[in-house]
Amino acid sequence: MERLIDAYKQILREVDAQSFNLDEDKYSGVFLPVPFEEYWHTPVKIMLVGRETAGWNTLNGKNTMSRVLGLIPDVTIGQVVEEAVARYRQHLSVKNDGTTNLKSRSRFTQYHFRVARELDIPPQAIVYANLLAWDYDGQPPLTRPENEVQEVILGSLKLMAVQIKHLEPDFIIFASGAQRTDYIIKRLLTKLGGYETSSVIPGKLWEFKVGNAICFRIAHPRAMRGHQKYRDEVIKRIKQRCTAG
């Protein structure tokens, strides 16, 4: 865990603040996942990856790129990372009675709980991650000026790469959609040493392997119109491989 935290700090130090128009700074707090203890003890290690946060850590006024990069007086990058990790743990924590909030309106959260339930593992055993570590004003940052977009993508991919290397998941589910994210995923896979495609149903389900991890890319869980069966298919394929193994 300490190595992952140190890597987060170093990556944030490397983000080029000059790539951003900080006079129009409506970026979210940085999203930094950490594994719960359950992850290390589960028989199957899974990462579930969304596209980006939606107003992550913004209600407390800590939603600027300037703050994340340590450009605010009396705020260090180390402090920002500590806050981000604490926020993540709070987001996925169990209630006092030992249960989780299974009534969330978020389709993504519902799918997270469903994957856990069908694989008979606790939700905290699944690491929830995001392909992009920031959003902009509660929306995807991909419509920002090109220099900003590229720096957000670069920083995010570095963060995701260290997460995968540190956590060594058996399965990664990219529930991030196809049209707007496949090129980002492929950049990530190149950073991780390349990938091998197993099968593709265009726009629906892409299965591939990177290192020792079997990966799937599906639509975001809120997408309907025929996408439901591919979310089911991913769970089915993971079950089959767990049984075979």
Side-chain angles (χ1 to χ4, degrees), residues 37-46 116 118-122 125-126 168-171 238 241-243 245:
E37 191 62 28
E38 289 89 339
Y39 178 83
W40 301 113
H41 300 292
T42 186
V44 55
K45 293 180 172 59
I46 296 176
E118 296 211 17
L119 295 176
D120 195 25
I121 60 177
I126 297 175
E168 299 182 330
D170 301 308
F171 299 95
I238 293 175
R241 284 175 170 84
C242 289
T243 301

Side-chain angles (χ1 to χ4, degrees), residues 48-90:
L48 178 60
V49 183
R51 185 173 64 190
E52 83 287 314
T53 60
W56 183 256
N57 211 23
T58 58
L59 296 180
N60 56 10
K62 298 175 180 178
N63 62 328
T64 63
M65 185 66 73
S66 298
R67 192 176 191 280
V68 169
L69 300 185
L71 303 179
I72 302 296
D74 301 321
V75 177
T76 67
I77 287 179
Q79 180 182 340
V80 167
V81 170
E82 288 178 8
E83 291 171 353
V85 168
R87 176 72 180 86
Y88 178 85
R89 289 190 173 280
Q90 179 186 14

Side-chain angles (χ1 to χ4, degrees), residues 198-241:
S198 303
S199 63
V200 179
I201 301 172
K204 304 291 187 180
L205 173 59
W206 171 28
E207 180 180 333
F208 53 97
K209 189 171 183 180
V210 56
N212 293 321
I214 296 172
C215 307
F216 306 94
R217 192 271 297 132
I218 53 175
H220 190 282
R222 65 172 168 262
M224 298 299 164
R225 297 188 178 181
H227 287 286
Q228 300 97 315
K229 68 179 182 179
Y230 297 104
R231 291 192 284 273
D232 297 343
E233 179 65 19
V234 166
I235 296 174
K236 177 183 175 182
R237 292 187 189 186
I238 293 175
K239 280 184 175 181
Q240 288 174 338
R241 284 175 170 84

